[in-house]
Amino acid sequence: MEENMEEGQTQKGCFECCIKCLGGIPYASLIATILLYAGVALFCGCGHEALSGTVNILQTYFEMARTAGDTLDVFTMIDIFKYVIYGVAAAFFVYGILLMVEGFFTTGAIKDLYGDFKITTCGRCVSAWFIMLTYLFMLAWLGVTAFTSLPVYMYFNLWTICRNTTLVEGANLCLDLRQFGIVTVGEEKKICTVSENFLRMCESTELNMTFHLFIVALAGAGAAVIAMVHYLMVLSANWAYVKDACRMQKYEDIKSKEEQELHDIHSTRSKERLNAYT
């Protein structure tokens, strides 16, 4: 009988501990972090592969070659974009962890474990800093989303030309890379529907794959923007919570001080009355 009671108390204690742990999880920050990681992963992974596919298309079908020396050509720019993608992936992996940690501390996940905590000026400054930084990152991701839409537009035009050549017989359409700023004005890199390279490019799966990879990368950048907006809402709510907690803390300190003063006054009067009676 006693063993059953002890087992029941142990199960109850484990259940209460699990409920306490689940109640301390910042679910809003967790959802924003998952959305951020998903968006960054799609943007970085698909964007990297799409850039590699672009290099193959330019070299194979447009017959472009890397410029010798330190000349800044389209291939050098693509290599720079790849390195930027590596940096973005690493930076936002760390930033997502930092925001999750801030969410745990602000929502008071450790309050029940270590007792009432004090809201310090440093904590308020950290929350305000994260709000400002997240707002800047949101603007940066908006710019990245707008920039990623450019290759999607270019590949859509190319895909449309390929589609029109199959629908309209005898159509002679051309695509000049100079109109997109990929090559200089004096360098003519044009491909027309009557050329063999164009037909091979339209029939290949590489063009279709690269186009859809850029679309997924654009969707990933949009998901990162939504994650940043979500983070801004969470951080603003946490800031309001910290501000209210700070005011409540000051109120409790003033109230306890006044109660102590009243207690001292009553004690002094009681002693004076007792001395007068004696």
Side-chain angles (χ1 to χ4, degrees), residues 52-54 56-57 60-61 201 204-211:
S52 300
T54 301
N56 294 331
I57 290 174
T60 304
Y61 304 109
M201 180 181 63
S204 66
T205 59
E206 193 172 18
L207 175 64
N208 192 39
M209 178 62 69
T210 304
F211 177 42

Side-chain angles (χ1 to χ4, degrees), residues 8-266:
Q9 291 177 356
T10 303
Q11 293 178 354
K12 183 178 180 181
C14 293
F15 178 75
E16 291 178 354
C17 181
C18 292
I19 295 298
K20 185 184 296 184
C21 292
L22 291 175
I25 296 176
Y27 291 101
S29 297
L30 180 61
I31 293 172
T33 303
I34 293 174
L35 184 60
L36 175 65
Y37 282 168
V40 172
L42 288 176
F43 172 77
C44 294
C46 295
H48 184 275
E49 293 301 316
L51 290 174
S52 300
T54 301
V55 171
N56 294 331
I57 290 174
L58 292 177
Q59 291 178 339
T60 304
Y61 304 109
F62 286 89
E63 298 179 350
M64 293 183 62
R66 290 181 178 270
T67 305
D70 297 331
T71 306
L72 186 64
D73 57 357
V74 62
F75 298 106
T76 305
M77 292 296 297
I78 289 176
D79 292 336
I80 293 174
F81 290 150
K82 287 183 178 180
Y83 286 116
V84 170
I85 285 175
Y86 300 149
V88 168
F92 279 92
F93 176 77
V94 176
Y95 190 65
I97 294 176
L98 292 177
L99 288 176
M100 273 298 298
V101 172
E102 196 273 344
F104 270 106
F105 275 93
T106 308
T107 53
I110 63 171
K111 183 176 180 180
D112 295 333
L113 297 177
Y114 299 101
D116 292 338
F117 58 94
K118 297 293 184 181
I119 304 298
T120 61
T121 304
C122 180
R124 296 198 299 270
C125 291
V126 168
S127 297
W129 173 256
F130 272 119
I131 292 175
M132 182 187 69
L133 199 61
T134 304
Y135 181 75
L136 294 177
F137 281 146
M138 184 197 69
L139 295 180
W141 274 110
L142 282 175
V144 170
T145 304
F147 183 78
T148 310
S149 63
L150 296 179
V152 174
Y153 172 73
M154 296 177 188
Y155 274 97
F156 177 76
N157 286 339
L158 187 57
W159 178 80
T160 303
I161 293 176
C162 289
R163 186 168 176 268
N164 289 336
T165 54
T166 57
L167 295 178
V168 181
E169 295 182 358
N172 186 16
L173 303 175
C174 295
L175 179 69
D176 196 343
L177 295 181
R178 291 178 295 182
Q179 63 183 345
F180 298 111
I182 298 178
V183 295
T184 59
V185 178
E187 186 179 4
E188 183 178 356
K189 290 295 180 181
K190 183 170 63 173
I191 186 171
C192 297
T193 56
V194 294
S195 63
E196 184 180 354
N197 286 340
F198 184 85
L199 297 176
R200 286 172 46 234
M201 180 181 63
C202 292
E203 292 174 356
S204 66
T205 59
E206 193 172 18
L207 175 64
N208 192 39
M209 178 62 69
T210 304
F211 177 42
H212 286 87
L213 283 174
F214 271 120
I215 293 176
V216 177
L218 178 62
V225 173
I226 296 174
M228 289 292 104
V229 174
H230 197 162
Y231 268 129
L232 277 177
M233 293 189 293
V234 172
L235 291 170
S236 300
N238 290 344
W239 167 257
Y241 169 77
V242 170
K243 192 174 181 180
D244 291 340
C246 184
R247 290 179 179 177
M248 185 61 66
Q249 178 181 313
K250 292 180 180 179
Y251 171 75
E252 292 293 338
D253 292 340
I254 295 173
K255 183 179 178 181
S256 61
K257 186 177 180 181
E258 290 179 351
E259 290 178 352
Q260 184 64 34
E261 290 177 354
L262 290 175
H263 182 268
D264 294 340
I265 292 173
H266 285 302

